[in-house]
């Protein structure tokens, strides 16, 4: 099967390449190879390649910067997916699009089902929701929402925490926002499984369990210290209001993945998955 991967240099794109199934002919393109906001170039590429499926793993993911760069965020997260979906529909290419828990407002007290009503709080979430709506105009599209994605490589929460914990004796981390840390390779394997199963519509996928950003950071500190990746750091809880990030974030964004796990297999608990990611990080050090 020939697969077109957009956003190959990002952590999800990197994980998709690393977990690619046998027999897959993958054309992996980063932003240097293709600017997805160039509609003419994008449309021409999809038409000429005639791939069986296209995976859009490209996104503007800087949640705080999006507040000041709304046009850019919407260009990448909303307008480009609309063009990708239209081009895929014309060429008969299946589309897999990756979205986020940030399309929800976080007022729920139970995990968000795929059919829950989106109500994003900030520019990033609104831009991703607009991309979802564009993609869903085409009934053959597969939309996968995930949450708190991280990996041993690239810029993400894990990388930021390890850097700060090395530089400082104490850090403050928000304790009143709850979600599910998800290893990028867990998500990548799920994407391949859903693609193989010819899934359609909206699916949720994360690792199992839930925690706060503070809980995630505490686990990173304890496990990294045991592995000798850092000497130790005090991780102090704070509130989102006191932390004062530019962009609002959902207080609760755990996703209900029960409809997806029968296809993908139930993943490990996020805390166990973190062990493997940190071991990979140590091996690369």
């Amino acid at each position: 099967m020939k697969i077109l991967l957009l956003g190959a240099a990002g952590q999800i794109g990197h994980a998709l390449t690393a977990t690619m199934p046998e027999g897959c002919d993958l054309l992996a393109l980063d932003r240097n190879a293709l600017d997805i906001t160039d509609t003419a170039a994008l449309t021409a590429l999809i038409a000429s390649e005639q791939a069986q499926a296209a995976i859009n793993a490209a996104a503007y993911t800087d949640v705080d910067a999006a507040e000041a760069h709304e046009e850019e965020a919407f260009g990448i997260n909303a307008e480009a997916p609309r063009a990708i979906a239209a081009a895929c529909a014309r060429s008969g290419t299946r589309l897999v699009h990756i979205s986020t828990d940030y399309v929800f407002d976080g007022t729920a007290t139970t995990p968000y089902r795929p059919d829950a009503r989106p109500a994003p709080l900030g520019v990033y979430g609104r831009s991703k929701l607009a991309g979802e709506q564009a993609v869903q105009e085409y009934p053959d599209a597969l939309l996968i929402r995930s949450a708190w994605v991280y990996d041993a490589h690239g810029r993400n929460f894990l990388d930021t925490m390890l850097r700060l914990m090395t530089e400082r004796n104490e850090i403050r981390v928000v304790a009143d926002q709850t979600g599910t840390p998800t290893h990028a390779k867990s998500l990548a394997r799920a994407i391949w499984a859903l693609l193989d199963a010819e899934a359609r519509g909206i699916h949720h996928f994360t690792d199992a369990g839930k925690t706060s950003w503070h809980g995630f950071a505490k686990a990173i500190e304890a496990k990294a210290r045991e592995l000798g990746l850092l000497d130790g750091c005090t991780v102090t809880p704070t509130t989102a209001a006191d932390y004062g990030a530019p962009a609002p974030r959902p207080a609760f964004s755990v996703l209900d993945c029960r409809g997806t796990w029968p296809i993908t297999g139930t993943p490990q608990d996020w805390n166990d998955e973190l062990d493997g990611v940190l071991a990979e990080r140590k091996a690369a050090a």
Side-chain angles (χ1 to χ4, degrees):
M1 178 182 287
K2 185 174 184 179
I3 307 293
L4 177 63
L5 172 60
L6 307 175
Q11 63 179 353
I12 295 175
H14 183 275
L16 283 163
T17 301
T19 59
M20 179 180 63
E22 290 186 8
C24 180
D25 178 13
L26 186 67
L27 176 59
L29 301 173
D30 61 17
R31 70 180 68 180
N32 294 320
L34 176 69
D35 178 0
I36 63 168
T37 64
D38 184 339
T39 301
L42 176 70
T43 301
L45 177 84
I46 292 173
S48 65
E49 290 299 331
Q50 293 293 305
Q52 279 71 52
I55 304 174
N56 181 29
Y60 186 104
T61 58
D62 191 327
V63 177
D64 288 327
E67 295 296 308
H69 298 90
E70 183 169 354
E71 183 176 353
E72 183 179 358
F74 269 82
I76 295 171
N77 292 344
E79 294 166 21
R82 182 181 302 280
I84 293 166
C88 284
R90 284 194 293 270
S91 66
T93 302
R94 289 180 58 201
L95 173 60
V96 181
H97 181 71
I98 315 303
S99 194
T100 174
D101 57 323
Y102 278 39
V103 299
F104 297 115
D105 62 10
T107 59
T109 56
T110 57
Y112 283 96
R113 291 166 48 91
D115 60 357
R117 185 180 67 86
L121 299 175
V123 170
Y124 169 69
R126 292 199 301 273
S127 70
K128 291 296 289 183
L129 177 59
E132 286 190 7
Q133 292 167 337
V135 166
Q136 288 178 83
E137 292 179 10
Y138 301 88
D140 284 341
L142 168 61
L143 179 80
I144 305 170
R145 293 188 185 120
S146 193
W148 295 24
V149 179
Y150 72 101
D151 199 7
H153 311 281
R155 293 177 55 195
N156 52 61
F157 184 80
L158 171 69
D159 182 67
T160 299
M161 289 299 100
L162 290 175
R163 175 176 56 80
L164 293 177
M165 289 171 184
T166 301
E167 296 171 351
R168 305 176 187 177
N169 294 323
E170 180 179 4
I171 59 172
R172 297 183 304 122
V173 183
V174 171
D176 57 355
Q177 293 171 349
T178 300
T180 304
T182 302
H183 183 194
K185 288 188 176 65
S186 296
L187 174 57
R189 294 185 186 99
I191 292 169
W192 289 122
L194 288 163
L195 186 57
D196 183 63
E198 299 188 356
R200 299 289 192 275
I202 303 174
H203 282 265
H204 286 175
F205 181 87
T206 65
D207 284 329
K210 63 183 179 181
T211 189
S212 66
W213 289 115
H214 176 258
F216 190 16
K218 287 278 288 183
I220 291 169
E221 192 278 335
K223 295 173 185 291
R225 181 162 33 84
E226 289 176 3
L227 288 171
L229 289 170
L230 51 86
D231 293 331
C233 176
T234 301
V235 183
T236 303
T238 189
T239 66
D242 285 345
Y243 189 79
R249 289 162 167 79
F252 180 90
S253 61
V254 179
L255 300 179
D256 185 336
C257 306
R258 290 175 296 175
T260 303
W261 287 346
I263 301 172
T264 63
T266 305
Q268 294 191 84
D269 186 272
W270 70 267
N271 200 43
D272 296 328
E273 196 68 31
L274 178 59
D275 290 330
V277 177
L278 284 170
E280 183 179 352
R281 180 91 178 204
K282 179 177 174 64

